[in-house]
Amino acid sequence: MDARPPAPAPPRAGDGRRVLIVEDDEAIRHALRRFLTRQGWAVDEAVEGEGALALLLAEGAAHYDVIISDLQMPGMSGIALYDHLAARRPTLAGRMVVTTGDTFTDAARDFLARTGCEVLAKPFELAELRAVVERVAGRP
């Protein structure tokens, strides 16, 4: 019998990192959670901007390496969520990735131009999601 402990499994892409998904569409939120969990990410979810903001601003809030937010949601939009974070937690605002099926409105174009946020246009490929999340997580 070998007394040596088994070799550790190679680390997965997201090991030790945390992502917040802000998405009102349950099917999309579930698909994102399932994919990112399989990549080794710790995943939290919010179904709307207000809930996400409460999570992000709470005392002792979890650290998030990436925040993935739908741009258009009932109540607080992804734009408003970003603006609140930029005013109160600018480092977190810089870790935001927006998903949208609508980059053609003036508001969406203006937002993307002024913030430089990474954007994933729906529908997007999982490989594209992984690349964007890895890029944003690697920012200082």
Side-chain angles (χ1 to χ4, degrees):
M1 177 177 245
D2 192 349
R4 290 181 291 158
R12 293 185 296 176
D15 279 350
R17 294 182 287 177
R18 184 170 222 86
V19 61
L20 175 62
I21 299 168
V22 187
E23 172 63 61
D24 60 308
D25 184 304
E26 184 177 0
I28 293 172
R29 198 174 59 250
H30 176 74
L32 292 172
R33 179 186 65 232
R34 192 171 70 219
F35 175 75
L36 291 166
T37 299
R38 286 181 180 164
Q39 298 300 309
W41 288 81
V43 178
D44 292 328
E45 302 173 35
V47 297
E48 37 77 40
E50 291 89 350
L53 189 61
L55 277 173
L56 294 163
L57 297 180
E59 190 164 329
H63 168 79
Y64 290 99
D65 297 286
V66 180
I67 300 162
I68 301 171
S69 178
D70 192 2
L71 199 59
Q72 301 296 326
M73 297 178 285
M76 181 184 290
S77 69
I79 294 171
L81 175 60
Y82 176 92
D83 289 341
H84 280 289
L85 288 176
R88 295 180 181 142
R89 304 285 271 305
T91 302
L92 286 177
R95 296 179 179 277
M96 195 159 161
V97 174
V98 295
T99 63
T100 185
D102 178 23
T103 57
F104 302 106
T105 66
D106 289 340
R109 278 195 309 269
D110 291 347
F111 170 76
L112 295 173
R114 79 175 160 88
T115 65
C117 277
E118 294 275 357
V119 62
L120 288 166
K122 295 176 184 175
F124 49 83
E125 298 291 325
L126 293 176
E128 183 183 7
L129 169 65
R130 182 178 182 168
V132 167
V133 166
E134 291 296 323
R135 187 167 48 248
V136 171
R139 291 180 184 164

